[in-house]
Amino acid sequence: MGWIIAIIVGGIAGWLASMVMNRDASMGIFLNIVVGIIGSVIGNVIAGFVGIGGSIQEFSLTGLIIAVVGAVVLLGIINLVQRGRVR
């Protein structure tokens, strides 16, 4: 059951992060879920240094915020990498 919640919360976190980073038009639902789940891992690493914990396998507001912050960081890194390429 935890994986289903992680997919749903990851999708929401990825969608919110794509809205913040103005990438919503270029991402579909699958990429939103992937970015949200990977962002959750990144967010938990960042939050671990600060001493805050949260998981997206059990829905909580703290876990959602951590996942969104991690997804925004991930999308920021992707934007930096893509900006260096010739389009």
Side-chain angles (χ1 to χ4, degrees):
M1 186 69 171
W3 286 103
I4 295 171
I5 295 172
I7 290 171
I8 292 169
V9 174
I12 293 169
W15 175 70
L16 290 173
S18 68
M19 296 292 282
V20 169
M21 298 297 289
N22 292 326
R23 292 185 57 99
D24 191 46
S26 65
M27 295 176 56
I29 189 166
F30 179 73
L31 284 179
N32 281 337
I33 293 171
V34 171
V35 166
I37 291 173
I38 294 172
S40 174
V41 172
I42 293 171
N44 278 319
V45 169
I46 293 170
F49 289 122
V50 180
I52 302 171
S55 173
I56 63 170
Q57 289 186 342
E58 303 170 353
F59 182 74
S60 67
L61 187 58
T62 306
L64 179 64
I65 292 170
I66 289 172
V68 170
V69 169
V72 167
V73 168
L74 177 63
L75 288 176
I77 292 169
I78 290 171
N79 282 341
L80 287 175
V81 169
Q82 285 183 344
R83 196 176 311 168
R85 293 183 187 166
V86 177
R87 292 185 192 186

